[in-house]
Amino acid sequence: LREDIAYRIESSAMFDPLVPATEEFETSLVRFDDVGDVTPTEEVDALASEVEVTFNVARANAERLGLEHLPEGKRDDARRASKAARLAEGATTQGERVASLRQVKRILDSLALHYLPEVDERRAIEG
């Protein structure tokens, strides 16, 4: 999901650690990161289940909130960035893809919200 620019715009709460459900998910990832070779299987299973559950809750919450998570004055621009990102995904020519991604980058840079994606134009165009 981190690589899906449109999703990151449309469900930005998934990437905002100030959202309680997202914070819980990130906390569960940190706990799971402490798993090692000597961690009992039961504990690994419990931690993996916790990651799965908190991910599903955070994702559902983010998708429910959608653009409403964003500050009200930035939603229209975010909507335009999302549309441009979807246009880039479905572009039939390299020129159309490049133009759409440049528009996405320009809009997102102007929004300056830490939980929205940073568009690496070169990487996005190549990949």
Side-chain angles (χ1 to χ4, degrees), residues 19 23 30 98:
V19 174
E23 179 185 26
V30 169
V98 169

Side-chain angles (χ1 to χ4, degrees), residues 46-78:
L47 290 168
S49 292
E50 180 183 340
V51 168
E52 183 177 9
V53 167
T54 58
F55 169 79
N56 289 332
V57 169
R59 184 175 186 177
N61 181 60
E63 290 174 0
R64 179 185 57 78
L65 289 172
L67 293 175
E68 297 299 309
H69 170 68
L70 300 169
E72 191 172 342
K74 298 190 178 205
R75 291 178 192 158
D76 287 340
D77 285 340

Side-chain angles (χ1 to χ4, degrees), residues 4-11 79-92 96-97 100-101 104:
D4 185 337
I5 296 169
Y7 183 86
R8 291 217 28 210
I9 297 166
E10 295 162 357
S11 300
R79 193 171 288 108
R80 280 190 285 283
S82 173
K83 287 179 182 178
R86 295 275 178 217
L87 182 62
E89 286 174 6
T92 56
E96 183 181 31
R97 180 173 168 77
S100 297
L101 287 171
V104 172

